[in-house]
Amino acid sequence: DAKTTQPPSMDCAEGRAANLPCNHSTISGNEYVYWYRQIHSQGPQYIIHGLKNNETNEMASLIITEDRKSSTLILPHATLRDTAVYYCIVRDNNAGNMLTFGGGTRLMVKP
Amino acid sequence: DAGVTQSPTHLIKTRGQQVTLRCSPKSGHDTVSWYQQALGQGPQFIFQYYEEEERQRGNFPDRFSGHQFPNYSSELNVNALLLGDSALYLCASSLVPWAVARGNTIYFGEGSWLTVV
């Protein structure tokens, strides 16, 4: 069963920030939140992950709420190349290293 | 630093045939997982190999089998191919089998597109 809920699709104007939400209300204390994206016909690309603190890298920022029941992936200046399906994944405690992908959010960046 | 590499990139097989897909993990990684991604769906976990043994398995039939070699590379074998096996097959590698539990990263290859006709 999917442990995360994401909107199926979102649009964003080129150059603007893209804010992708994810709900994970059943997350437990030792579970990480991972974000991957998949550009058409390519393998999933790692973006960022976090446990409880906000994280930032060269690709994006991850904001996790204090109760850890939701998070937001922020692409600060979206480009056309950021058009992709974005997956928010919470590790399944019983599944070791397995990543369980839900439906993701299809982000369309428009000129 | 080479990432995860997979071969072949595309192939077409006939129902009932067998196929072997290959994966070389990212440099320094010793754990390999395989995923199947049908068109329009998210990737589904098939199995994971570590120290040349299958450590975890998803909900896939025994027609799907694998192997890991001493150099950590891996093969995915599918026997008695069905039309429904047509998909993108993804290989993912990590430093340890419990990478996710430790907040480590899992990297994916570009995949092998299998079409069964």
Side-chain angles (χ1 to χ4, degrees), chain B residues 25-39:
Chain B
K26 180 179 172 62
S27 178
H29 284 184
D30 60 5
T31 303
V32 173
S33 301
W34 287 91
Y35 290 75
Q36 179 196 64
Q37 185 173 23
L39 202 60

Side-chain angles (χ1 to χ4, degrees), chain A residues 17-21 33 35 47-50 53-64 71-77 86:
Chain A
N19 297 288
L20 291 90
V33 179
W35 283 84
I47 302 174
I48 199 167
H49 72 278
N53 297 320
N54 298 338
E55 302 287 346
T56 296
N57 63 19
E58 64 278 5
M59 288 184 67
S61 295
L62 174 60
I63 308 299
I64 303 175
S71 61
T72 300
L73 177 74
I74 301 173
L75 308 178
H77 305 287
Y86 287 77

Side-chain angles (χ1 to χ4, degrees), chain A residues 30-32 34 36 38-49 51 87 89-103 106, chain B residues 31 33 35 37 39-45 48 56-58 88 90 94 96-111 113:
Chain A
N30 61 342
E31 289 185 307
Y32 285 81
Y34 282 79
Y36 282 80
Q38 191 170 25
I39 297 170
H40 183 62
S41 300
Q42 298 182 18
Q45 178 187 22
Y46 166 79
I47 302 174
I48 199 167
H49 72 278
L51 183 61
Y87 295 99
I89 301 167
V90 171
R91 172 188 167 267
D92 185 330
N93 273 332
N94 297 319
N97 226 20
M98 181 177 80
L99 295 176
T100 301
F101 288 80
R106 184 172 298 278
Chain B
T31 303
S33 301
Y35 290 75
Q37 185 173 23
L39 202 60
Q41 299 182 18
Q44 301 293 312
F45 176 81
Q48 175 181 286
Q56 279 181 278
R57 189 177 184 92
L88 176 66
L90 296 160
S94 62
V96 291
W98 47 91
V100 177
R102 294 188 176 183
N104 290 315
T105 303
I106 298 174
Y107 293 94
F108 285 81
E110 293 300 326
W113 282 98

